[in-house]
Amino acid sequence: MSIEIKVPEMGESITEATIANWVKKEGERVEQDEVLVELETDKVTMEVPAPSAGVLQKINKKPGETVKIKEVIGIIDPSASAKSTPTSSTPSTTNTAQTNTTNQAQNDTLPPAVRKLIDDNGLNPASISGSGKNGQITKEDVLNAIANKQSAPAAAVSAAPAAAKSAPSPEIPKAVPAASRSNLPRENVVPMTKLRQTIANRLVAAQHNAALLTTFNEVDMSAVMDLRAKYKDKFKDAHNINLGFMSFFTKAVIGALKFVPAINAEIRGTDLVYKNYFDIGVAVGGPKGLVVPIVRDADLLSFAQVESEIARLANKVKDGKIDLSDMEGGTFTISNGGIYGSMMSTPILNPPQSGILGLHNIVKRAVVVNDQIVIRPMMYVALSYDHRVVDGKEAVTFLVKVKEAIEDPTRLLLEV
């Protein structure tokens, strides 16, 4: 009796998904609850386990195809045996067969755009190290392999024998010409993922449906950096988590939201809904794009609990295992572009929220303190807000409160 592999339900708002990758191929043995296929939706990527042990008899949908919830995408035969691979008495033949099988398996699970890029450039998938989930080869991995392939002659020229290193050459080696892009395709056309399509649509909708405005301030990070330097080791020993900047800013934001409740509100129809809880979204860059998991009731958490929860959610994003429940809701968002080197930006709202705080790179600059020019680690902060809900005075007040809390962290302890 065959067992159907169906697309599971993934939330009320999700009706379809895209086949991202088959972890197993037809004829291969699978165990119950072993991961069979990865599905990508407009919100998350999820793994579908085998409903039963057996042999993957048939794959109905290939990578890149769109499937509906509860649609049958494959068949498992619990009574069948896995296909056997012919063996040879000579080790070299066996190794070759194993290599070919591995290459074929890798090629079968590659996304169509990645497979085409590999084929067009005559590359062997087995020679490319995958940086994606479960070692999956990404487009960037292929482009890096192409660049390495073209720069190989340069490496050969620069690799001199060991004996030559001990005897200096009177001649200065000539510069090796830069690698030509003649072997690269002029364009790489890659279909947008469901997640990227949703991000694009929501960013446009946010600008169309809200009166967006951004105001800036700068923060002297000296006090927080000194505090971290003094207590980071003790904090790590006591709580088994690193003391980062995000817990300080999360607590500072909560204090500012309590002082300016309009920024923690949202428009619902013709009503303004003021939230008395503080679910803070923390933007995290993952392999599929930017997502915003939520730190629930952050006002009730300690510094260590905030750091632990952010670390837990960030790891789930990076591993591609973030759940819908981790991203639903949220009253305010913090986006830290500074980790990528951003100096200043105007973040876009995450509807229906009314505010988002952008953090940026910390740079030592000359500033005037007590009529003296001193060097301080400074950070620009940006608050984007919905002007329909938040007035300019409230936005400026919010940023000042954040600035005061970060520049004098004792305020966070005393909640003043």
Side-chain angles (χ1 to χ4, degrees):
M1 180 179 178
S2 298
I3 297 177
E4 296 177 335
I5 306 166
K6 295 184 179 181
V7 178
E9 294 184 357
M10 294 174 279
E12 295 181 0
S13 61
I14 297 179
T15 59
E16 63 181 22
T18 301
I19 303 291
N21 173 47
W22 279 95
V23 179
K24 297 292 185 177
K25 64 179 186 294
E26 287 186 357
E28 195 169 0
R29 175 75 184 179
V30 298
E31 301 300 330
Q32 185 171 358
D33 295 328
E34 187 176 9
V35 176
L36 285 177
V37 61
E38 295 173 347
L39 300 178
E40 185 178 79
T41 73
D42 59 352
K43 295 182 179 179
V44 295
T45 297
M46 70 174 299
E47 298 172 338
V48 178
S52 170
V55 172
L56 182 55
Q57 185 180 40
K58 186 178 181 182
I59 292 176
N60 295 338
K61 296 290 185 178
K62 297 180 180 179
E65 292 192 63
T66 299
V67 293
K68 301 292 184 181
I69 302 302
K70 296 185 178 181
E71 183 176 353
V72 178
I73 57 176
I75 301 292
I76 289 179
D77 187 345
S79 62
S81 300
K83 294 179 181 178
S84 59
T85 303
T87 59
S88 172
S89 58
T90 60
S92 61
T93 305
T94 302
N95 292 339
T96 302
Q98 291 175 343
T99 301
N100 290 339
T101 302
T102 302
N103 293 348
Q104 182 61 39
Q106 285 182 309
N107 197 51
D108 288 342
T109 59
L110 292 174
V114 174
R115 187 186 305 116
K116 184 176 186 302
L117 192 57
I118 289 175
D119 293 340
D120 289 346
N121 290 275
L123 298 175
N124 181 1
S127 65
I128 303 175
S129 298
S131 62
K133 186 178 178 183
N134 297 326
Q136 178 72 33
I137 298 174
T138 65
K139 184 183 75 170
E140 289 74 16
D141 296 330
V142 180
L143 294 176
N144 289 336
I146 294 172
N148 292 336
K149 180 180 178 182
Q150 293 174 343
S151 61
V157 171
S158 61
K165 293 182 180 180
S166 60
S169 172
E171 296 183 1
I172 299 176
K174 295 182 179 180
V176 179
S180 170
R181 63 179 176 87
S182 58
N183 293 331
L184 292 174
R186 190 166 183 82
E187 295 180 340
N188 294 324
V189 180
V190 180
M192 291 178 69
T193 63
K194 291 287 185 182
L195 179 60
R196 176 54 58 184
Q197 292 178 41
T198 300
I199 290 173
N201 292 335
R202 288 181 178 174
L203 290 177
V204 173
Q207 294 189 353
H208 286 174
N209 299 327
L212 284 180
L213 191 61
T214 304
T215 187
F216 300 89
N217 210 321
E218 60 178 358
V219 177
D220 185 344
M221 299 294 293
S222 300
V224 167
M225 294 177 72
D226 291 343
L227 194 62
R228 288 181 70 237
K230 183 177 181 180
Y231 292 108
K232 64 179 182 180
D233 293 334
K234 293 181 179 179
F235 188 90
K236 179 68 177 293
D237 292 340
H239 304 290
N240 196 31
I241 190 72
N242 292 323
L243 177 60
F245 291 120
M246 288 304 296
S247 55
F248 288 95
F249 275 101
T250 299
K251 290 295 186 179
V253 159
I254 292 169
L257 290 175
K258 290 180 178 180
F259 196 83
V260 188
I263 302 179
N264 204 44
E266 69 175 63
I267 293 178
R268 193 177 297 170
T270 57
D271 296 325
L272 274 176
V273 181
Y274 291 87
K275 313 291 181 61
N276 296 318
Y277 59 95
F278 303 89
D279 288 352
I280 307 300
V282 180
V284 178
K288 302 293 183 180
L290 188 73
V291 295
V292 185
I294 309 298
V295 178
R296 309 285 178 187
D297 295 316
D299 58 317
L300 305 180
L301 303 180
S302 66
F303 274 75
Q305 289 171 326
V306 170
E307 291 288 357
S308 297
E309 183 65 2
I310 291 175
R312 183 186 71 86
L313 294 169
N315 287 332
K316 291 184 72 173
V317 171
K318 293 174 183 177
D319 293 339
K321 296 181 179 179
I322 195 73
D323 300 321
L324 285 175
S325 58
D326 294 321
M327 299 185 291
E328 292 175 338
T331 62
F332 186 87
T333 296
I334 302 175
S335 179
N336 186 7
I339 60 175
Y340 305 112
S342 171
M343 190 68 180
M344 186 177 290
S345 65
T346 56
I348 300 178
L349 288 180
N350 185 22
Q353 297 174 19
S354 297
I356 178 172
L357 181 69
L359 309 182
H360 300 93
N361 198 15
I362 300 173
V363 178
K364 289 185 177 180
R365 297 202 307 272
V367 296
V368 178
V369 178
N370 297 326
D371 294 330
Q372 298 291 323
I373 298 178
V374 296
I375 303 298
R376 293 290 176 87
M378 305 298 293
M379 174 195 286
Y380 287 118
V381 291
L383 174 70
S384 290
Y385 57 96
D386 189 344
H387 212 345
R388 298 175 302 169
V389 182
V390 182
D391 293 332
K393 177 183 176 181
E394 293 173 313
V396 173
T397 301
F398 174 90
L399 279 184
V400 169
K401 286 295 179 181
V402 171
K403 174 183 173 70
E404 290 175 348
I406 296 299
E407 292 185 344
D408 184 7
T410 55
R411 288 174 174 266
L412 300 176
L413 179 63
L414 300 175
E415 297 184 348
V416 295

